[in-house]
Amino acid sequence: MNSLSKLKFLCVVPTFLSLGLLAPSCDNANSAPSQTTGNTVAKTAIAPRDTGLVQTAADTDAQKTGTATQSPNYPAADMADTTVQLKRAYRNYFPIGTAVDSKMVTDPRTASFIAKQYSSVTPVNDMKPVNIHPSENVYKWAPADKIVNFAVQNGLKVRGHCLVWFYRMPHWFFWDNGQLASKELLYSRLDSHINTVMSRYKGKVYAYDVLNETVAKTTETTQYSRIDTLYKIAGEDYIEHVFRTARKADPSAKLFYNDTFYDEAKRDKIYAFLKEMKAKGVPIDGVGIQCHIGIDGMSEELLSNSIDMFAKLGLEVQITELDVSIFNREAKAKTVANDSDDYTIDKEGKQSDIFNMVFKVCRQRKGVVTGITTWAPADINNYLTKRLGKRNYPNLFDNNLKPKPMLRKITDFKAGQ
Ligand code: XIL
């Protein structure tokens, strides 16, 4: 890459990074103990990629002295088959999706890459309540519209993410002149939100994460719902309510409950919750398993047993937010502050084993599994870099939108396996 394109690259990438929104303060659900899998492959360290994402002091010094690894090409990309097309390899199995924002789908190079490799998109943030409905009488449609139009023009499916998620609800939903809103007022706001969003995208968004991360941590409470403001106002009744409202708003859309688990205890709680909802006739068609996996892996047994259990409830299953960090799943900015974020062949090999396990488990359950979505089209757009303050490479394609070597493994399977 010459210095002019390098400069352009460095200018474009930060715009991808600036799209996250401030979260209201509340806990997040993901704190189960991690499990370890994955074989180690060749131990040869390769030079860290220059991602243009996080410039460390060392990077900057090295660039000043001309010793930095300037190429954003991950050397291992040379070993990958650049002709692979992920969505074509899986055309007889299920759609392969990725999470996008409006900038990606309007940047010609990134947009054509996404349309070539993926058959489905999920707006990474642009349909979350706080983004699309920031105040009671204001809907901000433009970013989500761009994504949906891009998908329609290119024949891609769209998953709507998400209609209700406490963690990304604007505060106005819950308040009424300084007092907590009544249940009636909350429901009328939720109904209006769900009806308006689903009506706008009827026939274009085929599936919605109606509720995201509702089930409480196993240590928190014996009830299903986390104790958030939705719960404080409406009790657990809001869960049924939002699914029933969504079904009426667009009867043709598939309705998903989306969550995360990395151990059996949390999985069992989600299972019990879904079982009860199904028994009550709550309209839930599928369960989304997020799968933000660390390099310490996720157990194959846990994933495959869970899919089989959910299938017995009559639910379809999708992997909705797949990525594999180069740090352990429990990593926090503080704990990895002194760890290396170099991307080595060893790390790519471990990620490859994990991705391959997930794709294999899902292929074996074709029909029950109806989609896999990765949480960014390529490394340049990953949210882990921002979260941990370290460079990260959690996706299947590198910073230059080139397939990593693991793509060969994931796409080169014998049909039926
Ligand atoms: C993340 C986005 O990727 C970030 O850009 C944003 O700042 C925070 O949310 N579970 C979910 C996703 O359901 O919506 C989250 O996405 C990641 C965890």
Side-chain angles (χ1 to χ4, degrees), residues 267-406:
R267 188 273 319 277
D268 288 348
K269 194 156 183 181
I270 294 171
Y271 173 81
F273 160 71
L274 290 168
K275 192 171 176 199
E276 188 171 320
M277 292 299 124
K278 290 300 277 181
K280 280 182 167 175
V282 178
I284 302 181
D285 303 307
V287 56
I289 307 177
Q290 292 182 4
C291 283
H292 291 288
I293 307 176
I295 202 150
D296 47 343
M298 178 173 182
S299 124
E300 174 170 347
E301 201 190 358
L302 175 65
L303 183 63
S304 53
N305 288 347
S306 305
I307 296 174
D308 296 343
M309 285 167 71
F310 295 138
K312 283 201 185 116
L313 294 179
L315 294 164
E316 59 182 86
V317 180
Q318 297 194 356
I319 307 299
T320 49
E321 305 184 14
L322 178 62
D323 53 15
V324 180
S325 171
I326 65 162
F327 297 100
N328 287 349
R329 193 179 56 75
E330 293 281 4
K332 303 270 179 295
K334 258 196 251 163
T335 60
V336 296
N338 297 319
D339 293 355
S340 164
D341 54 6
D342 288 358
Y343 197 29
T344 61
I345 290 202
D346 183 29
K347 289 178 192 163
E348 201 264 357
K350 283 184 182 155
Q351 289 175 309
S352 174
D353 290 342
I354 297 164
F355 272 114
N356 202 41
M357 178 278 285
V358 174
F359 276 81
K360 184 194 72 185
V361 163
C362 292
R363 283 197 307 273
Q364 289 168 342
R365 287 160 180 80
K366 170 182 159 176
V368 168
V369 175
T370 56
I372 297 183
T373 290
T374 63
W375 205 235
D379 285 341
I380 47 170
N381 316 115
N382 80 80
Y383 84 110
L384 287 164
T385 289
K386 201 169 56 170
R387 218 180 88 196
L388 296 176
K390 298 290 243 184
R391 293 177 300 186
N392 213 319
Y393 310 88
N395 299 302
L396 297 169
F397 294 86
D398 72 10
N399 284 313
N400 212 21
L401 310 182
K402 292 262 167 44
K404 296 182 184 177
M406 63 176 96

Side-chain angles (χ1 to χ4, degrees), residues 15 17 31 37 73 105 219 247 403:
T15 61
L17 290 175
S31 71
T37 61
N73 287 314
V105 300
T219 48
R247 178 64 95 222

Side-chain angles (χ1 to χ4, degrees), residues 16-17 19-23 28 30 99 122-125 128 161-162 165 167-168 209 212-213 258-260 290 292 320-321 323 375-376 381-384 386-387:
F16 287 128
L17 290 175
L19 298 167
L21 282 162
L22 282 179
N28 213 342
N30 316 336
T122 301
V124 65
N125 289 312
K128 288 174 181 166
H161 175 83
C162 45
W165 181 19
Y167 193 44
R168 283 292 189 270
D209 294 328
N212 198 32
E213 295 183 3
N258 194 49
D259 208 336
T260 178
Q290 292 182 4
H292 291 288
T320 49
E321 305 184 14
D323 53 15
W375 205 235
N381 316 115
N382 80 80
Y383 84 110
L384 287 164
K386 201 169 56 170
R387 218 180 88 196

Side-chain angles (χ1 to χ4, degrees), residues 2 24 68 80 90 105 133 154 171-172 175 182 205 210 225 230-231 245 254 288-289 338 344 373 378 387 413 416:
N2 62 31
Y90 280 83
V105 300
H133 198 174
N154 289 283
H171 289 284
W172 66 261
W175 296 95
S182 65
V205 172
V210 177
S225 172
L230 287 160
Y231 177 85
T245 304
K254 287 189 174 180
I289 307 177
N338 297 319
T344 61
T373 290
R387 218 180 88 196
F413 52 87

